[in-house]
Amino acid sequence: MTSAPTTVTATDVSLRYGGTRALDGVSLGLPRGVTGLLGPNGAGKTTLLRVLATAVPPGKGGFTALGHDPATSAGRLALRRTLGYLPQTPGFHPDFTAFEFVDYVAILKELTDRSARHQEVRRVLEAVDLADVRGQRIKRLSGGMRQRVALAAALVGDPGFLVLDEPTVGLDPEQRMRFRELIAEAGEGRTVLLSTHQTEDVAMLCHRVVVLAHGRVRFEGTPAELTVRAAGRVWSSTERDPGALAGWRTGTGTFRNVGEPPQGADLLEPTLEDGYLLVLDGENKAVTA
């Protein structure tokens, strides 16, 4: 667990879908700031985010967020009032304008005063740099703009807990850079949980990182602590080392290898991705043992 004060605490959260155990005793603590959630496909990331966003209840265990316990109807309602959720595939109505969509979400969040609600919609659209296109239909916006519309909707009401599921997927490098800026700004004073496949997003944005595999937490700590897992286990060679866990040719023409280096190997500085690969390798060995 993190030493910083936690605002979201999950304890032994488990969930099955038929015969599949999607989450298997997940316990973690999230402080304020941005926490990255890494894991391969099928690791349970989206399921965990849906549980924390109160979209589905856990089969076992539970969690509290910002002092609210969603196991009770009153706690669930209170949490939803201070929760922002950006799902992996936002459910846009393509004929809505950006303003109309965010306004619709604001109504669902119980912003009943029309004047105040519209002021809030304008505020969040301006925050994600979409004020100039707020009257355009969503179907005419680029993929990056649509993601920003979805983030604006998640920011309505100034939520204290923000849950983001793969928000940078499918974005080009320039769009991804802009989205990182927005997420970093959103993390000021909030608790943000960001699920991603992009280790560079975690390295650039996140104060903490959680690695999920086979529905279980395999690592929880800082990006630096995950990176140091690979210290002494990354090396350079003129050919791919057959004994390496992973190896690829770099732009210099040499190979970067990750795993157990041979004696006398030319060691390289590890990256967060190297540490992540080694954590997954340890999990795979544990599962097949």
Side-chain angles (χ1 to χ4, degrees):
M1 302 290 283
T2 174
S3 58
T6 59
T7 57
V8 179
T9 302
T11 304
D12 197 27
V13 171
S14 299
L15 184 63
R16 281 184 175 272
Y17 290 120
T20 302
R21 188 185 293 273
L23 298 174
D24 186 9
V26 171
S27 295
L28 54 81
L30 306 178
R32 294 195 186 278
V34 184
T35 296
L37 180 63
L38 288 171
N41 289 331
K45 301 190 302 300
T46 291
T47 300
L48 177 59
L49 265 59
R50 294 187 70 207
V51 168
L52 295 179
T54 73
V56 294
K60 178 184 175 185
F63 73 98
T64 60
L66 308 182
H68 306 301
D69 183 356
T72 68
S73 58
R76 189 161 54 252
L77 180 60
L79 175 55
R80 286 174 176 171
R81 285 173 172 159
T82 188
L83 174 74
Y85 178 38
L86 195 165
Q88 192 170 11
T89 52
F92 293 121
H93 191 298
D95 286 324
F96 274 16
T97 65
F99 187 96
E100 288 169 340
F101 176 77
V102 178
D103 188 46
Y104 173 69
V105 172
I107 292 171
L108 295 179
K109 288 190 173 183
E110 301 179 326
L111 277 67
T112 55
D113 182 273
R114 187 173 185 272
S115 177
R117 186 179 73 246
H118 284 186
Q119 182 177 350
E120 173 67 1
V121 172
R122 287 190 290 269
R123 181 189 73 81
V124 294
L125 285 171
E126 184 175 349
V128 299
D129 199 23
L130 288 179
D132 292 342
V133 299
R134 67 190 184 195
Q136 289 192 26
R137 297 191 187 281
I138 289 174
K139 64 184 177 184
R140 300 189 184 280
L141 299 179
S142 68
M145 285 183 174
R146 292 183 189 188
Q147 284 293 81
R148 281 189 272 157
V149 171
L151 179 60
L155 290 172
V156 165
D158 195 23
F161 181 30
L162 200 55
V163 178
L164 309 176
D165 194 356
E166 300 281 359
T168 63
V169 68
L171 302 185
D172 64 35
E174 183 178 357
Q175 292 170 334
R176 188 177 297 121
M177 184 182 304
R178 174 59 179 147
F179 221 83
R180 286 172 181 162
E181 291 176 355
L182 295 172
I183 295 170
E185 291 170 9
E188 297 291 335
R190 287 190 182 91
T191 301
V192 179
L193 182 58
L194 165 69
S195 173
T196 180
H197 281 96
Q198 306 286 341
T199 54
E200 61 265 35
D201 284 349
V202 175
M204 293 183 180
L205 279 171
C206 298
H207 307 90
R208 297 189 65 78
V209 58
V210 174
V211 177
L212 201 67
H214 299 288
R216 295 180 291 176
V217 173
R218 303 308 303 173
F219 174 87
E220 183 181 1
T222 67
E225 289 167 342
L226 180 55
T227 300
V228 81
R229 288 283 188 100
R233 302 181 69 183
V234 186
W235 71 100
S236 176
S237 61
T238 56
E239 296 182 353
R240 187 192 187 285
D241 193 318
L245 165 66
W248 57 93
R249 189 188 296 274
T250 68
T252 63
T254 60
F255 281 79
R256 182 183 182 87
N257 303 281
V258 181
E260 296 300 330
Q263 191 166 2
D266 182 14
L267 296 179
L268 301 174
E269 283 293 319
T271 65
L272 184 141
E273 183 176 48
D274 298 327
Y276 170 60
L277 289 173
L278 288 166
V279 167
L280 291 185
D281 180 56
E283 163 66 8
N284 290 335
K285 288 178 178 176
V287 168
T288 57

